Amino acid sequence: MHSRDGFTIIELLIVILLAGIVAGIAIPQVGRAVAKNRLDRAASVVSADLKLAYSMAARQRQPVRVEVDSVGRRMVVRNAGSPATVFSERNMGDGSELAVQRMVSHTTSQVLVYPSGLASGPLEIELRAGGSTRSVTMSRAGQIRVR
């Protein structure tokens, strides 16, 4: 008898079956991790844009308007006196790199940030993607928190 080289069909089927089981378990977890990472980045971007609004109001010595469009899932930071001047515009709808399934402003859809460092009111934006939720809150005094 001499030795054979290679694998039998049963050995190959067992390996393919095991690989399929491992992939079936791992792929949904990877999808959730990607969605959570995208949500964390979106919350960081919203936080940075709110800080930008306070900075630009102080620098320009003019009020800055923060507009949240829950339906279109976008946020715009613009000069309140000259609305054509846009400091930041973020699209978080389908097709964007920061795509979230839901973006809701629980307090109001727009806030004015004054050069004095105060805002016309608090703002809370809830972001949801892949079963996870992040909330970005801004106080009237400019304290911004991501939860």
Side-chain angles (χ1 to χ4, degrees), residues 15-144:
V15 169
I16 291 171
L17 179 68
L18 290 174
I21 291 171
V22 169
I25 292 171
I27 288 175
Q29 292 179 359
V30 169
R32 281 191 293 272
V34 168
K36 186 178 181 308
N37 185 22
R38 181 178 292 143
L39 181 65
D40 289 342
R41 283 188 300 143
S44 294
V45 166
V46 168
S47 173
D49 283 350
L50 293 175
K51 291 175 186 176
L52 173 71
Y54 278 89
S55 173
M56 292 308 293
R59 183 181 301 161
Q60 301 289 325
R61 295 186 183 147
Q62 293 182 352
V64 171
R65 177 176 287 128
V66 177
E67 300 170 357
V68 179
D69 178 10
S70 297
V71 176
R73 289 178 280 176
R74 56 179 240 155
M75 185 170 124
V76 180
V77 178
R78 68 176 75 223
N79 189 330
S82 173
T85 305
V86 175
F87 300 121
S88 174
E89 184 172 354
R90 302 291 179 178
N91 180 14
M92 296 186 192
D94 297 333
S96 81
E97 67 181 43
L98 299 172
V100 294
Q101 295 166 344
R102 184 175 175 201
M103 178 180 185
V104 178
S105 175
H106 289 293
T107 50
T108 183
S109 63
Q110 54 181 308
V111 172
L112 285 175
V113 178
Y114 299 107
S116 64
L118 293 176
S120 61
L123 183 64
E124 181 181 353
I125 300 171
E126 180 183 299
L127 303 169
R128 182 174 295 166
S132 296
T133 302
R134 292 284 177 270
S135 179
V136 181
T137 57
M138 178 186 82
S139 70
R140 281 197 65 216
Q143 182 181 14
I144 298 164

